[in-house]
Amino acid sequence: MKKLVLIFTGILFISSITRLRAQELISNSSMTGVCYAGTKINRIYIPPPKEFKEKSRAKGGGSITVFYTGFPADAKAAVEYAKTILEAMLPSDAKLTIDASWTKISTSGVLGNSKITSFAGGWGIDALEPYAFYPVTVAEKIAGKSLNEDSEGDIELVLNSSINWYLATDGNTPTSKYDLVTVVLHEICHGLGFFDSMDTDGSLGRYGIGTIPIIYDIFVENLTEKRLTDTLIFKQNSANLSNELTGGQLYFDGPLLRRYLSGTRARLYAPSTWDPGSSVSHLDEVRTLPVNSLMTPFIDFGEAIHDPGKLTFSILGDLGWINTRILHKPKKDTEEHLTEIEITTRIKSDTLYNKNKIGLVYSFDNFLTADTLMMISPSSDDSFTRSVAIPSYNTRLDYYLFAEDDFLRLYKSPSVAEKRPYSLFIGIDTIKPGILHTPEEYYFEKIDSLLFEATITDNLGIDTVYVEYKVNNRISKYFGLSAGIQDEYSKKLNVKPEVLKGGDSIQYRIVAVDKAAAHNTRILPANGYFTINIEALGSTVTHYSTDFSNANNEFFNLGFEIAKPLNFSNYALHSKHPYDSPEEDNKSFNFSATLRHPVIFNASGMVIAFREVVLVEPGAEGSVFGFSDFFDYVIVEGSKDFGKKWFSLADGYDSRINSSWLTDYNSSLDGQNSTFAGTESMFLKHTFYPRIPDKISSGDSLLIRFRLYSDPYAHGWGWVIDDLQINPLVDPVEKISSDLVKVYPNPGNGLITIYTGDIGNSKPIRFSIYNSAGLCIINNISVHDPETIIDISNYPSGLYIIVINKEDGIKTVKYSLIK
């Protein structure tokens, strides 16, 4: 498995971590939790908790959205049932997204695994523990808002399709099967934060992202109640820390858990042999009562636990799912002559809180000295206020707020209070606005609109934001940007498709003016203009083919070129060899080659075929395209709006698409990089039809591009494409009208009979079968009999397309394979 390379190393400095905004998440590609198949028989059923029925009737609780890949209907129903149980137990403002995959896991004894997709620093979300990393699931709960895109999964769940599963939801699990609902609950609880970052190589122990622990780590103690994250006792990369991790005497200790257990702690799983993904992040198998045993490391035959248990949810509560938020809108700088300023806040808590301990701490000398005022609630509700006297004009006020909950947990806002307090200046403003903007490098001609976006910030407030632009360096024109949420400004500039031609260019700059009396102004760029080039397109076509011997002007390349490198005798479309990879977390590179000819999408569909060699970094074993552990990939994409938005024509793939390529990639490794170079003899044919009926209609024109995505820290030789052909799935010939041509049984188990009725006909028929990914899996010619038997039973369940070609026409059949 590819190791996560972390942003923070060495000593933690407050100034470095607080530069990260809450929205700046750290991606995670390492496994969070593993659920092992136990070998014992444990016939037990723990039914769902009472909240399940109560909140299901009242439609209360949290919200979990699951996106499924490869699931049969009955397995999907079990996941939905488990999801509903957890929704009933989560707070009503909890919202999370899960990407779930049903796939074979070759690692022996693994029922499933899960990953948290990213982490947020506690300092950026006003968490109780500011110097810890929080899983994005609980971080969004604490922050009270989404920290990633709605389409991004917060948890990635992989379930082993080769397991003998019990898929019903009644808990009546046979002693020969494993209960799917139980495993799903187990893995989602890992995704909610029930996991650690502890690690040992057998001699030295360590934890955290860089030197910063994740939130679960902070609550892990040894037998004598010493926290493993106490660096005065257990240093990073030390033998004594390693000994604790494998010493069998680790505990989880937090105030919510202590209350549930009447003052005691929860024993954790800490075997003498370190087990990554299992040690520490599970409850002790022997000492945990059955009612709370969901999060033990093994799920046995016949074991059905449909209640996460109060112990598990007490732990999750300590991690932040039971939280208190101080809802405060920071005061902005002002040029008014004020004698006092009112500070207000609102408290939102998942538990009780002490209304007599809502406080305001403030300072006029950068916290060399400070005063504290207890805030009052005039309406005796959750709103609190207090005024601070301002001693003079041109004065800076620094302050923070605090609140104490029923578990004596003291929350601060901002959480790194004295180091990075709220701050406002009462006096004359001379600070210019800040502008963050990423310019577009190019647009294709025929574009009908240009989108301009920027993030504009100012200590006093923004008065005006506008764009000065000109086409081909002619007369300047102007238009304003409209304010959105969170300092975002944007404007879509509509243009006639025929106005911008290939070779044209647009020059522009962004101007922001603040609300100060002096109208402080910032211009970006400070000198000159940004330039967007307009790229030419070729004629629209219904078919396209090239061997790349004379195609230099046919493609718009970014990181690709049409070349004939060493080991190749003919020209082809090559990525850079080797391609680049970023050397920093949360960075990625995209290299692309776009066909300048728009291709008409035929009513029958489209077939794209080419020869290729793919030597790009393979993802983790069993990883699915779209998941964080898929790593680098290549993909063919389309756009029907001339490049403004792109969508996949088929799933991305990597060197694993062919076993010989994977072997070659891994045969010559230098660190994390592969130095194996592709050769012409490695070419293989790739044929697929795009799965885009929801994206494009018959007669639409489609731009097509080839893209190589590179994530951090590892790369290979790259990608080469030759002999490209793009054609309609069915050429414009008359469709077969005869009812004699039949495909049966449909649905079926993979043994397909094609009946043509051509008794005595000496001419065979040609047929092709495409899978749901658009790949051509069979392309063959039948024998002379009226019936042809095809066997695709070794392929997975799903929808397939059968194309039958005869002299008198073509018939396309949708076939459902059900096992």
Side-chain angles (χ1 to χ4, degrees):
M1 178 180 296
K2 180 178 179 180
K3 293 294 290 182
L4 175 64
V5 183
L6 305 165
I7 287 181
F8 302 110
T9 56
I11 299 174
L12 170 64
F13 291 96
I14 299 300
S15 60
S16 66
I17 66 170
T18 52
R19 283 197 294 266
L20 278 177
R21 296 182 300 171
Q23 291 82 0
E24 293 179 341
L25 300 174
I26 295 179
S27 298
N28 173 39
S29 58
S30 297
M31 192 174 297
T32 295
V34 179
C35 186
Y36 286 118
T39 57
K40 299 181 296 182
I41 293 175
N42 183 22
R43 187 68 182 86
I44 185 175
Y45 174 48
I46 306 296
K50 64 178 183 179
E51 292 93 339
F52 175 60
K53 293 182 179 180
E54 292 174 354
K55 290 193 175 179
S56 293
R57 287 195 297 266
K59 296 183 179 180
S63 172
I64 302 175
T65 301
V66 184
F67 296 105
Y68 294 93
T69 300
F71 275 76
D74 45 4
K76 181 178 178 181
V79 177
E80 286 292 310
Y81 183 77
K83 180 197 85 167
T84 306
I85 292 173
L86 286 171
E87 284 179 327
M89 301 184 72
L90 290 172
S92 59
D93 59 345
K95 292 178 174 59
L96 58 131
T97 303
I98 300 173
D99 290 331
S101 172
W102 183 261
T103 189
K104 182 177 181 180
I105 299 175
S106 59
T107 304
S108 177
V110 173
L111 297 173
N113 61 56
S114 59
K115 297 180 184 68
I116 287 289
T117 58
S118 55
F119 299 92
W123 60 89
I125 56 173
D126 278 355
L128 179 65
E129 298 286 349
Y131 305 126
F133 279 108
Y134 285 74
V136 64
T137 47
V138 65
E140 291 184 335
K141 167 66 176 71
I142 292 170
K145 61 183 178 181
S146 179
L147 301 178
N148 54 18
E149 297 296 328
D150 291 340
S151 59
E152 294 181 75
D154 301 312
I155 301 172
E156 293 177 354
L157 171 65
V158 180
L159 297 168
N160 192 345
S161 61
S162 62
I163 294 295
N164 188 19
W165 289 110
Y166 183 64
L167 301 177
T169 60
D170 58 6
N172 190 27
T173 309
T175 55
S176 61
K177 295 188 176 185
Y178 294 98
D179 187 69
L180 182 59
V181 172
T182 301
V183 174
V184 172
L185 288 171
H186 179 105
E187 287 304 318
I188 295 178
C189 283
H190 279 310
L192 296 177
F194 201 114
F195 72 98
D196 68 294
S197 68
M198 302 288 177
D199 190 25
T200 176
D201 58 9
S203 58
L204 301 178
R206 64 194 65 85
Y207 59 85
I209 300 178
T211 59
I212 307 174
I214 64 171
I215 184 60
Y216 185 99
D217 300 334
I218 288 178
F219 296 95
V220 179
E221 297 180 348
N222 69 0
L223 179 63
T224 58
E225 301 188 359
K226 301 295 190 303
R227 288 196 170 186
L228 267 58
T229 54
D230 186 342
T231 55
L232 296 178
I233 302 173
F234 303 108
K235 295 186 182 299
Q236 286 274 22
N237 296 301
S238 65
N240 62 341
L241 180 55
S242 178
N243 292 336
E244 295 289 347
L245 293 176
T246 54
Q249 293 282 358
L250 292 183
Y251 301 83
F252 188 99
D253 188 7
L256 275 77
L257 182 71
R258 284 269 188 177
R259 182 173 294 185
Y260 169 67
L261 294 178
S262 301
T264 61
R265 304 175 294 170
R267 185 77 168 263
L268 298 176
Y269 177 62
S272 58
T273 299
W274 179 255
D275 190 351
S278 190
S279 291
V280 186
S281 59
H282 289 96
L283 298 171
D284 183 83
E285 186 80 35
V286 177
R287 296 168 180 83
T288 304
L289 295 175
V291 71
N292 284 315
S293 62
L294 176 72
M295 297 310 293
T296 55
F298 301 97
I299 302 298
D300 290 319
F301 288 111
E303 188 173 13
I305 303 172
H306 293 183
D307 182 351
K310 287 184 168 34
L311 190 151
T312 292
F313 261 77
S314 295
I315 289 175
L316 294 177
D318 279 322
L319 300 179
W321 285 101
I322 302 300
N323 184 64
T324 296
R325 289 175 59 203
I326 301 173
L327 301 174
H328 170 66
K329 185 176 181 180
K331 293 288 186 178
K332 284 185 172 291
D333 292 358
T334 180
E335 292 184 314
E336 293 184 58
H337 289 263
L338 300 178
T339 58
E340 65 176 16
I341 191 163
E342 184 183 26
I343 306 295
T344 62
T345 191
R346 187 166 63 88
I347 306 299
K348 181 179 181 181
S349 184
D350 301 310
T351 184
L352 299 175
Y353 66 94
N354 190 340
K355 292 191 175 185
N356 295 320
K357 286 196 175 180
I358 310 300
L360 165 66
V361 182
Y362 66 97
S363 173
F364 295 109
D365 57 8
N366 199 28
F367 277 99
L368 293 175
T369 61
D371 289 302
T372 300
L373 296 172
M374 303 312 295
M375 303 184 77
I376 59 174
S377 178
S379 301
S380 298
D381 55 11
D382 295 323
S383 296
F384 295 82
T385 184
R386 197 64 190 259
S387 294
V388 178
I390 305 302
S392 62
Y393 199 59
N394 290 325
T395 294
R396 178 162 299 281
L397 168 65
D398 296 322
Y399 68 97
Y400 66 88
L401 308 171
F402 65 84
E404 183 183 87
D405 76 357
D406 188 45
F407 298 93
L408 303 183
R409 296 183 295 183
L410 188 67
Y411 293 82
K412 295 180 181 180
S413 182
S415 55
V416 282
E418 295 88 346
K419 300 294 183 181
R420 293 281 176 171
Y422 297 119
S423 184
L424 71 145
F425 185 74
I426 303 97
I428 298 172
D429 178 54
T430 60
I431 301 174
K432 295 181 179 181
I435 305 177
L436 290 176
H437 170 68
T438 302
E440 296 287 347
E441 295 182 23
Y442 69 94
Y443 282 111
F444 286 106
E445 64 179 1
K446 299 186 180 180
I447 202 83
D448 62 359
S449 64
L450 311 176
L451 180 63
F452 294 85
E453 296 177 301
T455 300
I456 314 293
T457 56
D458 188 73
N459 61 310
L460 203 64
I462 296 297
D463 180 75
T464 305
V465 180
Y466 65 92
V467 171
E468 175 194 351
Y469 77 100
K470 47 190 176 180
V471 178
N472 297 330
N473 281 307
R474 294 197 288 264
I475 298 174
S476 291
K477 298 181 180 180
Y478 304 86
F479 64 90
L481 297 186
S482 300
I485 60 173
Q486 294 184 344
D487 304 319
E488 301 297 327
Y489 288 76
S490 64
K491 176 74 173 182
K492 184 172 70 172
L493 181 63
N494 295 318
V495 296
K496 294 182 179 179
E498 65 274 10
V499 168
L500 297 174
K501 301 293 185 183
D504 286 348
S505 63
I506 300 169
Q507 295 76 39
Y508 73 97
R509 56 186 181 181
I510 299 174
V511 182
V513 183
D514 74 4
K515 291 182 176 180
H519 294 301
N520 302 305
T521 301
R522 174 88 64 186
I523 301 175
L524 188 73
N527 299 298
Y529 296 82
F530 294 118
T531 298
I532 302 175
N533 295 315
I534 307 301
E535 294 293 332
L537 293 175
S539 58
T540 302
V541 298
T542 57
H543 299 66
Y544 180 81
S545 65
T546 182
D547 62 3
F548 293 98
S549 60
N550 190 27
N552 274 315
N553 296 325
E554 305 277 284
F555 288 82
F556 173 61
N557 296 320
L558 295 171
F560 277 77
E561 64 175 341
I562 295 173
K564 186 172 62 175
L566 187 67
N567 298 327
F568 288 83
S569 58
N570 298 307
Y571 283 94
L573 181 63
H574 289 261
S575 70
K576 184 180 178 182
H577 303 313
Y579 62 92
D580 295 324
S581 60
E583 294 299 320
E584 182 181 344
D585 263 8
N586 296 331
K587 297 288 185 181
S588 62
F589 293 151
N590 286 281
F591 312 104
S592 63
T594 305
L595 177 63
R596 292 184 186 268
H597 290 284
V599 183
I600 296 295
F601 187 76
N602 187 280
S604 67
M606 177 183 287
V607 174
I608 300 177
F610 47 86
R611 296 191 305 140
E612 67 177 344
V613 179
V614 179
L615 292 172
V616 303
E617 179 199 11
E621 180 184 355
S623 60
V624 178
F625 175 69
F627 281 38
S628 60
D629 58 355
F630 202 80
F631 306 149
D632 296 354
Y633 59 84
V634 297
I635 191 168
V636 185
E637 298 175 311
S639 173
K640 65 177 183 179
D641 55 10
F642 301 103
K644 287 194 295 183
K645 294 180 181 178
W646 294 91
F647 48 84
S648 60
L649 301 182
D651 285 347
Y653 51 99
D654 56 32
S655 297
R656 292 173 296 168
I657 197 171
N658 180 267
S659 59
S660 63
W661 290 343
L662 179 61
T663 299
D664 291 337
Y665 183 97
N666 290 324
S667 68
S668 181
L669 295 176
D670 180 11
Q672 295 199 72
N673 300 322
S674 173
T675 60
F676 188 92
T679 64
E680 205 163 50
S681 63
M682 297 170 64
F683 268 122
L684 293 174
K685 184 72 173 289
H686 186 159
T687 303
F688 70 95
Y689 74 92
R691 302 175 298 161
I692 51 173
D694 59 329
K695 304 290 186 181
I696 196 167
S697 303
S698 175
D700 288 345
S701 60
L702 190 67
L703 278 185
I704 295 173
R705 76 174 179 183
F706 302 86
R707 179 168 65 91
L708 191 161
Y709 169 85
S710 175
D711 76 348
Y713 308 117
H715 61 247
W717 179 80
W719 193 17
V720 57
I721 298 162
D722 200 4
D723 295 331
L724 171 65
Q725 295 186 3
I726 305 172
N727 297 304
L729 177 62
V730 178
D731 284 324
V733 297
E734 185 177 350
K735 288 190 176 182
I736 298 171
S737 58
S738 172
D739 292 333
L740 291 176
V741 177
K742 297 179 181 179
V743 174
Y744 62 89
N746 187 8
N749 63 4
L751 288 175
I752 305 169
T753 298
I754 299 178
Y755 175 78
T756 62
D758 295 335
I759 300 175
N761 188 344
S762 61
K763 295 184 178 180
I765 63 169
R766 178 177 293 278
F767 59 88
S768 302
I769 301 181
Y770 297 84
N771 66 11
S772 61
L775 298 177
C776 182
I777 61 172
I778 293 178
N779 186 20
N780 212 337
I781 298 176
S782 75
V783 295
H784 301 167
D785 297 332
E787 288 187 347
T788 300
I789 307 295
I790 308 167
D791 186 2
I792 63 168
S793 59
N794 59 326
Y795 288 93
S797 299
L799 179 67
Y800 294 80
I801 302 294
I802 303 174
V803 181
I804 305 167
N805 293 264
K806 292 184 62 184
E807 277 191 328
D808 58 343
I810 291 177
K811 183 171 184 128
T812 302
V813 177
K814 293 181 179 179
Y815 174 80
S816 295
L817 173 58
I818 300 176
K819 294 185 178 181

